[in-house]
Amino acid sequence: MTPHKHLLHLAFAGLLGLAAVSPLHAAATAEQRQAALLASSCANCHGTDGKLAGSIPAIAGRPASVLESQLLSFKRGEMPHATVMDRLARGYTDEELAILARYFANINR
Amino acid sequence: MIQIHTRFLLPLAALLLAFLISLPLQAASWQQFAPVQAQIKGTPASEGLQLELPLVSEDGSAVPLSVRFTGSLAEGDQLESIRIFATANPNAEIIDFIFHDARSLADLSTRVRLNETQNVIALATSRNGRQWVAEREVRVTVSGCLMRSDEQADAGMQNPRIALPRRLQAGQPIEIRTLISHPMETGLRKAADGKLLPQNLIHNMVLELDQQPVFEARFYTGTSANPYVRLHLKTDQNAMARFRWTDQQKQQLEEAREISLR
Amino acid sequence: MTTEQNKHLVSRRNLLKGAGAASLLPLLSACGATAISNGTAGRVVVVGGGFGGATAAKYIKRGNPAIDVTLVEPSKTFYTCPFSNLVLAGERSMDTISHNYRELEQVYGVRVIHALAEDVDPVAHTLRLSTGRTLQYDRLVLSPGIDFRWNAIEGYDQQAAELAPHAWKAGPQTLLLRRQLEAMEDGGVYIMAAPANPFRCPPGPYERASMIAHYFSQHKPRSKVLILDAKDNFSKQGLFTSAWKEVYGDRIEWVSLSNDGRVVQVDAARREVVTEFGTRHKASVLNVIPPQKAGFIAERAGVTNESGWVPVNPRTFESERVKDIYVVGDATVAAPMPKSGFAANAQGKVAAAAIVASLEGTDTADPFWANTCYSLISPDYGISVAGVYRLNDESRIIETPGSGGVSPAGAAASFRRNEAAYAVGWYNAISQDTWGTRL
């Protein structure tokens, strides 16, 4: 993306007051977009950006180290009372789980 | 602006062309597939045999298959068999349809087992030795929401079923559906204890009209459990139709239906 | 992606860098037929406001708010198929499975037009609406869901569905079936004709049978559920059949394809069906789930293949057949991913990311999808199947080896209760993520 285009987007976002609902776009490097796409399926149970709390807990804004160790525990089958997260966590490499943990840690609740 | 654009039109066209050329061409795999090659004498025709299978199947244990002969035969010649092969199953044979006389028509359906994504080949042969070939690729994916049930490996033949149309007309194709319960154990599957389950197959189903064999289906490991065959007859005489299944242990089961034409 | 295609992408990217990406991109994307409209970052029209379409619209806006996004959806209220089986059982009202488009309009700035999409001109890049209006697009997203193959079962057409409902699109059909179940005398038989693969929501028919058995056990204890199936295997079969025995005894009977379960003829007025080998069944309430295909507009757009479904490039969910048209949800051939609301939502996000990248001229991120399908045996007995999907080296969608699978057999009652609670949590979360609904 050219710098010019990027600025234009920021201007648009500001103009429409959309910056707040678009944390992703504010500084969307290729890496961040990749992380966002990897993380996007999590929203189906944890709400958009992992912010919804209910019978399934919110995951946004929790420390990356905590999220990462929980995800790894799910993956290794060491998490007590796991139902579906163990089956899902096994679908990602350790590195991908670390990316997911950092992604949700960086979202403000 | 327009000039800038046109400067790149040529390389773009070249790119597009390169992309199109790179698209994979479907090679006819029957030419390289030994079990089919062993059956071929001369050059089979590629038109005249219609093979239908779904492009994608979410359950490889029972993939619907239809085959129909639409080619033309020389005076006095008649179709002898249509054999179906799988290119990537543990055994190539799926099912054979044999036309013992011209009253059985080459318009058939069944359900087959496909281990993985592969090509399915149909080979038709006439009594004079003419041949036709057809081939289809099937992508096999077990859907994320599907799970296989356990079949009873050692069960015998049960519940033969025949369905005939309500009205049968002389000289018109009569659609007949047949079904029998049987696990069609391949001999390749392991039980929970790691031991191979012994092979247990139905060998064939023969249809006779007044004691005359008219049609036969030979079953193999590639035939789905509970073999299903939909076939067509054309006759202008009333007859007693007997359907007889014989398994590998020579056990037999028979069902009879009267063909009474209007 | 094959190496061959990779090479081309790389060379295309290099070319773009050399030429000034912004000016060249429109030309490349549409072979010069249309250029992206001036003043915006591109125009996207989304057809269908279900799980796939609403999600795609929202996530395109999240990806780049400057992209002009229009959602075309006939209804102002959308009823989900997920949890509609609870409505059939009288456990929920229609309100609790209804969603609207206010968040998309007011928070994300999506223009919502309530009309039916009637035709697509892929060369002119236009979509014609039932109102007579024509919309221009740079990228089109179709999330058309399913349509029924009327008369594929003899005697089952749209009129028959008013007597023997399918209830396989939630809304009036759900209420019709609910009213019939309520009016049914105790001791009656509810018969469901279940379709062959592929069809919307593989475990759906069996969850429905469970929820109706639950309703019967509470209110009509002498009544039975009979499933006549065009398949020999079904989703989560082991879990369903053992749970049925455990919870409902012999209330639910399942007749497989190989036991003459396939319904070939329906007499809706008499509520009678005939199976392939001539068995006749009479129902007190008859529910026929007919064979299906991609929603009508997909056919009009020319994106369907001979199977009636839509083949897509799995990396982007762009149609394999027509450029600049992206298709998501039940209409697509995305196996091994199932035709589920969860999968449609996940596909909507992959398509959204690909569209944002293609309009901006940046690289498309590697796609990932997940799926979790919960099914309720009773309101406090849940089971699930999960999967994580990615592309393999040949650019085909695969389930990540070692991942996913169904809930364990023989789990404790507390495990089943937890999964039932998570099913509700899932429904609330996906409703929030897709439509912004706060339940």
Side-chain angles (χ1 to χ4, degrees):
Chain A
M1 194 187 300
T2 62
H4 172 73
K5 248 183 127 179
H6 202 144
L7 279 176
L8 195 71
H9 289 160
L10 281 178
F12 258 104
L15 214 76
L16 298 170
L18 286 175
V21 295
S22 184
L24 168 62
H25 190 257
T29 65
E31 236 167 76
Q32 283 166 322
R33 290 212 160 155
Q34 182 62 71
L37 193 56
L38 182 69
S40 64
S41 282
C42 305
N44 296 29
C45 296
H46 294 280
T48 304
D49 292 325
K51 289 181 180 176
L52 193 73
S55 60
I56 301 170
I59 47 178
R62 296 176 60 194
S65 58
V66 173
L67 288 173
E68 187 179 350
S69 78
Q70 284 185 338
L71 285 169
L72 288 170
S73 299
F74 275 121
K75 184 178 175 179
R76 294 183 193 128
E78 292 162 359
M79 202 70 161
H81 311 300
T83 55
V84 75
M85 271 308 295
D86 48 351
R87 289 175 261 160
L88 291 169
R90 287 198 300 270
Y92 301 93
T93 63
D94 290 1
E95 194 197 345
E96 286 161 356
L97 293 177
I99 292 170
L100 289 173
R102 280 201 302 277
Y103 179 84
F104 286 107
N106 283 332
I107 291 172
N108 298 325
R109 295 186 85 154
Chain B
M1 275 305 267
I2 285 163
Q3 273 172 346
I4 295 170
H5 281 165
T6 46
R7 255 174 52 204
F8 292 95
L9 272 178
L10 202 62
L12 274 176
L15 265 179
L16 192 71
L17 196 67
F19 177 73
L20 288 175
I21 289 168
S22 76
L23 292 174
L25 284 171
Q26 189 73 48
S29 68
W30 62 266
Q31 287 159 324
Q32 286 96 47
F33 191 57
V36 171
Q37 277 302 307
Q39 307 299 321
I40 285 182
K41 292 147 192 86
T43 310
S46 57
E47 303 277 318
L49 193 59
Q50 280 183 6
L51 178 63
E52 279 177 41
L53 288 138
L55 299 167
V56 178
S57 172
E58 295 187 21
D59 181 4
S61 70
V63 182
L65 175 150
S66 291
V67 64
R68 203 149 62 95
F69 180 72
T70 55
S72 52
L73 287 157
E75 184 77 30
D77 196 7
Q78 74 183 63
L79 217 57
E80 186 178 73
S81 69
I82 297 178
R83 306 192 63 188
I84 312 288
F85 299 91
T87 53
N89 272 3
N91 302 318
E93 292 85 1
I94 291 182
I95 193 167
D96 296 342
F97 301 115
I98 297 150
F99 310 102
H100 290 301
D101 95 20
R103 284 176 291 178
S104 59
L105 306 179
D107 183 354
L108 298 139
S109 302
T110 186
R111 298 178 191 128
V112 307
R113 284 178 172 143
L114 298 176
N115 221 29
E116 55 183 279
T117 296
Q118 58 186 291
N119 285 18
V120 174
I121 298 164
L123 176 68
T125 305
S126 79
R127 295 202 171 167
N128 290 353
R130 285 193 61 199
Q131 291 188 306
W132 293 261
V133 71
E135 182 161 355
R136 288 289 298 257
E137 193 201 28
V138 183
R139 258 188 71 204
V140 177
T141 62
V142 173
S143 155
C145 281
L146 271 177
M147 206 176 83
R148 299 273 292 277
S149 68
D150 292 322
E151 293 151 7
Q152 274 188 296
D154 55 354
M157 296 186 289
Q158 289 174 56
N159 300 330
R161 289 184 168 99
I162 308 294
L164 291 177
R166 259 170 290 175
R167 293 202 182 95
L168 309 178
Q169 282 190 306
Q172 293 295 314
I174 300 167
E175 182 196 59
I176 301 177
R177 287 179 290 214
T178 70
L179 177 69
I180 190 164
S181 299
H182 191 273
M184 294 295 283
E185 193 57 51
T186 57
L188 304 163
R189 201 166 68 117
K190 281 180 182 160
D193 61 7
K195 283 188 197 141
L196 274 184
L197 292 162
Q199 193 177 72
N200 174 22
L201 300 173
I202 302 181
H203 168 63
N204 70 356
M205 187 269 287
V206 175
L207 165 60
E208 291 176 359
L209 291 181
D210 292 341
Q211 276 90 54
Q212 284 277 326
V214 171
F215 171 82
E216 179 181 354
R218 284 192 197 144
F219 305 129
Y220 299 92
T221 51
T223 309
S224 292
N226 311 312
Y228 166 91
V229 178
R230 175 181 155 275
L231 59 114
H232 287 84
L233 283 184
K234 193 153 92 176
T235 177
D236 42 26
Q237 282 178 340
N238 291 346
M240 182 56 81
R242 285 181 198 283
F243 302 81
R244 194 174 52 247
W245 288 265
T246 307
D247 70 13
Q248 284 176 317
Q249 290 78 39
K250 310 273 189 244
Q251 298 284 323
Q252 294 194 330
L253 216 61
E254 200 175 276
E255 275 285 296
R257 290 284 186 285
E258 212 166 315
I259 306 273
S260 61
L261 305 162
R262 308 172 64 205
Chain C
M1 178 162 294
T2 64
T3 356
E4 209 41 43
Q5 282 169 312
N6 249 331
K7 251 189 286 181
H8 293 143
L9 270 188
V10 171
S11 49
R12 189 178 80 176
R13 274 174 206 140
N14 288 342
L15 190 83
L16 286 173
K17 274 176 196 151
S23 61
L24 191 58
L25 188 79
L27 193 73
L28 186 73
S29 63
C31 294
T34 54
I36 290 170
S37 47
N38 290 331
T40 77
R43 287 162 307 185
V44 179
V45 176
V46 181
V47 177
F51 286 99
T55 302
K58 169 170 165 174
Y59 276 77
I60 291 167
K61 277 292 193 184
R62 279 168 55 89
N64 182 345
I67 295 172
D68 182 271
V69 179
T70 304
L71 176 71
V72 177
E73 158 64 44
S75 318
K76 291 193 170 155
T77 305
F78 185 89
Y79 297 99
T80 59
C81 282
F83 277 47
S84 68
N85 288 331
L86 284 150
V87 175
L88 294 178
E91 296 286 324
R92 270 186 181 239
S93 67
M94 288 295 277
D95 288 357
T96 66
I97 60 164
S98 77
H99 307 277
N100 61 55
Y101 302 99
R102 280 196 290 277
E103 185 196 59
L104 282 178
E105 284 184 293
Q106 292 164 14
V107 180
Y108 290 97
V110 173
R111 185 182 310 110
V112 180
I113 299 176
H114 293 294
L116 198 68
E118 281 191 337
D119 208 357
V120 178
D121 183 337
V123 178
H125 281 59
T126 55
L127 177 79
R128 200 185 72 220
L129 307 183
S130 52
T131 54
R133 204 170 149 190
T134 296
L135 300 176
Q136 190 84 34
Y137 66 82
D138 299 312
R139 302 287 184 278
L140 179 66
V141 181
L142 301 180
S143 183
I146 54 155
D147 267 353
F148 299 112
R149 294 180 183 275
W150 300 118
N151 292 309
I153 299 174
E154 192 187 326
Y156 197 70
D157 56 16
Q158 268 165 296
Q159 277 174 315
E162 295 304 314
L163 299 166
H166 52 79
W168 217 240
K169 290 182 181 181
Q173 279 275 311
T174 313
L175 285 173
L176 178 62
L177 182 53
R178 171 65 191 154
R179 279 197 302 269
Q180 292 188 356
L181 289 165
E182 277 179 301
M184 190 186 94
E185 77 286 9
D186 189 14
V189 183
Y190 159 79
I191 294 182
M192 174 203 291
N197 292 316
F199 65 100
R200 160 179 282 179
C201 190
Y206 314 98
E207 180 191 65
R208 175 172 294 180
S210 309
M211 292 314 300
I212 289 172
H214 171 74
Y215 168 70
F216 286 167
S217 68
Q218 308 281 303
H219 301 279
K220 297 182 172 158
R222 294 186 297 114
S223 309
K224 298 268 186 199
V225 173
L226 176 63
I227 307 166
L228 299 174
D229 211 326
K231 298 181 292 302
D232 275 335
N233 300 300
F234 64 87
S235 170
K236 299 181 244 183
Q237 184 169 352
L239 289 171
F240 270 113
T241 47
S242 65
W244 287 344
K245 204 167 262 168
E246 182 189 334
V247 181
Y248 301 116
D250 57 1
R251 189 183 299 280
I252 302 175
E253 188 189 348
W254 177 66
V255 182
S256 70
L257 171 70
S258 290
N259 282 308
D260 196 19
R262 187 163 81 93
V263 169
V264 294
Q265 206 184 326
V266 171
D267 184 336
R270 304 170 68 150
R271 292 193 294 271
E272 273 183 12
V273 296
V274 180
T275 55
E276 192 173 13
F277 288 90
T279 316
R280 192 172 287 271
H281 299 270
K282 177 142 180 73
S284 314
V285 172
L286 178 59
N287 175 200
V288 178
I289 305 171
Q292 298 153 29
K293 58 182 179 178
F296 151 86
I297 193 68
E299 225 169 276
R300 299 294 310 169
V303 293
T304 52
N305 68 16
E306 64 197 81
S307 73
W309 303 99
V310 180
V312 290
N313 172 355
R315 174 166 284 275
T316 56
F317 274 69
E318 185 174 3
S319 159
E320 268 184 7
R321 306 203 152 194
V322 185
K323 224 177 151 17
D324 297 332
I325 301 183
Y326 294 68
V327 188
V328 296
D330 293 347
T332 60
V333 181
M337 245 184 290
K339 296 187 187 304
S340 72
F342 195 124
N345 169 296
Q347 292 162 11
K349 289 164 182 169
V350 165
I355 287 169
V356 170
S358 92
L359 288 173
E360 292 180 350
T362 54
D363 294 354
T364 306
D366 290 334
F368 289 87
W369 308 265
N371 179 63
T372 305
C373 286
Y374 286 101
S375 300
L376 293 172
I377 303 292
S378 74
D380 56 5
Y381 190 129
I383 56 176
S384 66
V385 59
V388 178
Y389 305 91
R390 61 178 72 213
L391 294 185
N392 68 4
D393 294 340
E394 291 162 338
S395 244
R396 289 211 157 142
I397 301 172
I398 54 158
E399 184 163 357
T400 310
S403 75
V406 296
S407 313
S414 59
F415 192 101
R416 307 297 191 212
R417 243 194 327 274
N418 279 343
E419 291 225 291
Y422 290 150
V424 177
W426 163 77
Y427 186 76
N428 294 349
I430 199 165
S431 298
Q432 182 274 321
D433 189 43
T434 307
W435 297 280
T437 312
R438 296 283 176 172
L439 290 163

